[in-house]
Amino acid sequence: MTGLSSALQFLPAMVGKLGLTPAKGVCSRHGEFESAVLPGRVPVCMQCVAEQERVALVASRRQGLLLGCGVPGRYREAKFRDLEPVCEEQRQVIDAFKGWVARAGRDRDVGNVVLLGGTGTGKTHMACAAALNLIGRCGLGVCYTTTARIKEEVCSAWGMAGRDESSELRRFASYPLLIIDEVDVFDQGPALRMLNSVIDRRSADGLPTIYISNQDRDRLIELVGIRAVSRMLESALILQCGWGDYRLRSLKGA
Ligand SMILES: Nc1ncnc2c1ncn2[C@@H]1O[C@H](COP(=O)(O)OP(=O)(O)OP(=O)(O)O)[C@@H](O)[C@H]1O
Ligand SMILES: [Mg+2]
Ligand SMILES: [Zn+2]
């Protein structure tokens, strides 16, 4: 029940005390209605007011999701349409990814995306565009992270009141959509165990994940292990970004 609607249930008792009088009106969307107004005021359609409240609530929830989604600053406005056409292969990758995003908005069982390719090919840009689109359009709970950041955040919970390793891992495992960029970039230590735990749980729960790496499949297996890669690739849309580094275009005079 919204704040307004819960207040409204007490309205009849308050009407007299406040000097409100019942008045009839006609709403272009909801037809005839009756509401209580101060003398001389125009009656307001409460269905319209409740709808506006709902819209404002959805907008503020989406704003909260955008603020907390972890998309890095330089990609906060990323869109697929910002990407300059580079080659036919890139066009096909963008089309396939956009198709996946459209399905992900409707279907929780959409499967993973695995984005592989060289530096500067727009992988992070595309993944962030997908995240922002799904938050803005569908209010999906999306989190962008990296393997190194998972480790940092989980380790930062060690010894802290109210936080612990398993609740942090559960958090990463339960986002409706998780993006793990630089999936193979981590130091020696607990990062690989933590990454495996998140991948395992998300795979078991059938939650979609976007994995991003500069490595090819075989090198990825060497770096993160066959168990993790098998789960990453299971019913995944695999997108190979085989074109040149956009960051180096100016250097080449392109
Ligand atoms: N086709 C393109 N048109 C316009 N800008 C692009 C294009 N491709 C990439 N960019 C821009 O180039 C920069 C590098 O792209 P991005 O960070 O997405 O690359 P990446 O594939 O994630 O690289 P890395 O593997 O090094 O992380 C970003 O600022 C991105 O917006
Ligand atoms: Mg990147
Ligand atoms: Zn109305």
Side-chain angles (χ1 to χ4, degrees):
M1 193 183 274
T2 64
L4 181 69
S5 17
S6 61
L8 283 178
Q9 63 181 315
F10 301 109
L11 205 53
M14 292 164 65
V15 164
K17 285 187 187 158
L18 293 172
L20 298 169
T21 52
K24 291 193 173 182
V26 180
C27 169
S28 58
R29 297 181 50 225
H30 301 108
E32 285 188 8
F33 66 86
E34 209 176 291
S35 72
V37 287
L38 287 167
R41 291 288 176 87
V42 179
V44 176
C45 169
M46 288 324 238
Q47 280 194 66
C48 280
V49 172
E51 276 175 18
Q52 283 158 9
E53 248 193 22
R54 264 197 305 277
V55 168
L57 205 68
V58 167
S60 91
R61 184 172 171 272
R62 289 184 188 183
Q63 194 56 34
L65 287 172
L66 279 174
L67 288 173
C69 70
V71 164
R74 68 177 300 172
Y75 304 97
R76 296 299 298 215
E77 302 283 326
K79 294 184 182 57
F80 283 102
R81 66 168 175 268
D82 303 333
L83 295 169
E84 260 179 55
V86 171
C87 60
E88 175 57 20
E89 186 191 358
Q90 182 222 27
R91 194 188 63 74
Q92 287 176 9
V93 163
I94 292 175
D95 282 354
F97 203 172
K98 280 162 76 175
W100 182 92
V101 171
R103 287 196 302 285
R106 302 188 295 264
D107 181 6
R108 180 192 136 116
D109 296 326
V110 65
N112 298 333
V113 176
V114 178
L115 260 177
L116 304 175
T119 56
T121 48
K123 300 181 302 299
T124 302
H125 184 118
M126 286 189 272
C128 292
L132 300 175
N133 180 297
L134 285 164
I135 294 171
R137 201 168 47 83
C138 315
L140 196 71
V142 185
C143 172
Y144 168 96
T145 191
T146 61
T147 300
R149 199 177 315 162
I150 290 176
K151 189 202 92 175
E152 251 172 57
E153 289 189 28
V154 175
C155 290
S156 76
W158 288 348
M160 281 182 73
R163 288 175 68 198
D164 59 32
E165 175 168 329
S166 70
S167 65
E168 290 299 304
L169 289 172
R170 227 180 4 258
R171 176 168 65 80
F172 283 112
S174 59
Y175 287 106
L177 171 61
L178 182 68
I179 299 168
I180 309 184
D181 203 348
E182 298 166 11
V183 70
D184 55 285
V185 181
F186 49 84
D187 300 333
Q188 293 277 335
L192 186 55
R193 172 176 62 77
M194 293 168 178
L195 175 68
N196 267 285
S197 159
V198 173
I199 292 178
D200 251 20
R201 292 178 200 211
R202 295 188 67 82
S203 162
D205 289 341
L207 285 172
T209 311
I210 299 175
Y211 297 101
I212 307 175
S213 172
N214 291 136
Q215 313 299 336
D216 63 20
R217 182 179 168 280
D218 291 344
R219 183 78 183 118
L220 208 50
I221 292 172
E222 284 172 30
L223 292 167
V224 303
I226 184 69
R227 274 180 59 81
V229 175
S230 161
R231 284 162 179 73
M232 285 162 54
L233 296 177
E234 187 185 11
S235 62
L237 173 67
I238 301 164
L239 300 172
Q240 303 276 356
C241 304
W243 51 92
D245 188 331
Y246 192 86
R247 295 190 191 102
L248 302 181
R249 278 165 67 104
S250 54
L251 293 181
K252 288 184 204 146

